[in-house]
Amino acid sequence: MLPWVKLGETTMPGGGVMTLMQRGSEFSIMSGVVTLMNNRQNHSEEQLAALSAARVGARPKARVLIGGLGMGFTLRAALQCFAADSEIVVAELVPEVVAWARGPLAVLHGTSLDDPRVRIHQGDVATAIGGGKPFDAILLDVDNGPDGLFRPANDRLYNAAGLAAARSALTTGGHLAVWSSYSDARFTKRLRQTGMAIEEVTVRARSNGKGDRHTIWIAVRPDRTGVRPL
């Protein structure tokens, strides 16, 4: 078996080291000995975009916010699933991740970052959420789950105030979709307390139906009468 080779390293905001590793055609982004993402297990991240696009449907000029570029799995799936007139904003906090996408990970990203529908927001996704112009869909995959495991500051995205901010940033009938490597009953409860319609979907890490079970929550903002659009 080929050895792992380090392609890059960066310090994450708030501390901790993140490294980009390669072994043949396999790439991994690691935090210490923990794998944050790997290009051989990306189905659930792709489903984050696919499930979202299915709910946005044929909305004209849909605005979509993706929190976390990573290896670009969700972005590339979004470009396939969302309409040609959509606008896709990708918020990435770590500059090196964007540099890796245009450098050693270009073999994975292809031309996705140059698609005219895509705009990179270099900074915290919370800033993009609070930017003022509403989104039809907000897709969050910025940590291992809704508890700020690798960056404690991410907790503010998933606490009551963060969820309220996300709801306010959605159009009527728009939705928040959150990816996690595990289920979390406490987070489900917090989502329900926002008054949005909640769906919890279990997806596999691999497209062949194998691999770890991951969770995607979808929370839909109702209209002013309380009706929750289909």
Side-chain angles (χ1 to χ4, degrees):
M1 181 178 292
L2 293 171
W4 284 102
V5 177
K6 183 188 293 186
L7 301 180
E9 181 177 285
T10 185
T11 300
M12 294 187 291
V17 175
M18 185 165 63
T19 57
L20 173 62
M21 308 293 291
Q22 180 181 10
R23 181 174 61 188
S25 61
E26 183 178 4
F27 295 90
S28 284
I29 294 180
M30 313 281 294
S31 174
V33 299
V34 178
T35 300
L36 301 179
M37 59 202 75
N38 180 284
N39 66 311
R40 293 188 177 178
Q41 299 191 55
N42 52 38
H43 180 65
S44 62
E45 289 90 342
E46 294 171 344
Q47 284 299 296
L48 179 62
L51 292 169
S52 176
R55 285 154 179 78
V56 168
R59 282 193 179 202
K61 299 182 179 179
R63 294 192 78 234
V64 181
L65 172 62
I66 298 175
L69 173 61
M71 289 185 172
F73 306 131
T74 302
L75 172 59
R76 292 194 299 279
L79 291 172
Q80 293 180 349
C81 297
F82 285 95
D85 65 349
S86 60
E87 177 188 357
I88 301 174
V89 180
V90 182
E92 176 52 56
L93 182 64
V94 183
E96 287 79 5
V97 171
V98 179
W100 292 344
R102 296 192 179 278
L105 292 180
V107 64
L108 300 180
H109 287 267
T111 60
S112 59
L113 296 184
D114 299 317
D115 190 291
R117 291 173 287 175
V118 175
R119 178 170 65 84
I120 299 296
H121 172 87
Q122 185 68 66
D124 198 319
V125 67
T127 304
I129 289 173
K133 190 174 180 181
F135 293 97
D136 297 291
I138 298 174
L139 284 59
L140 294 182
D141 177 10
V142 298
D143 212 308
N144 216 37
D147 61 1
L149 176 64
F150 293 103
R151 183 172 181 258
N154 286 334
D155 282 339
R156 62 181 176 146
L157 295 172
Y158 305 115
N159 62 21
L163 295 177
R167 173 182 163 137
S168 296
L170 291 170
T171 57
T172 297
H175 65 268
L176 168 69
V178 178
W179 179 95
S180 175
S181 65
Y182 51 86
S183 61
D184 187 328
R186 292 175 302 174
F187 182 64
T188 301
K189 181 178 179 180
R190 287 202 301 275
L191 271 178
R192 293 193 185 284
Q193 290 171 341
T194 66
M196 293 190 283
I198 309 303
E199 181 180 0
E200 186 173 340
V201 183
T202 300
V203 292
R204 289 283 195 169
R206 296 180 183 270
S207 59
N208 62 3
K210 297 181 179 181
D212 294 337
R213 287 180 171 86
H214 296 162
T215 299
I216 296 174
W217 290 272
I218 299 172
V220 181
R221 177 176 178 169
D223 64 22
R224 293 179 181 177
T225 66
V227 175
R228 295 166 180 175
L230 298 176

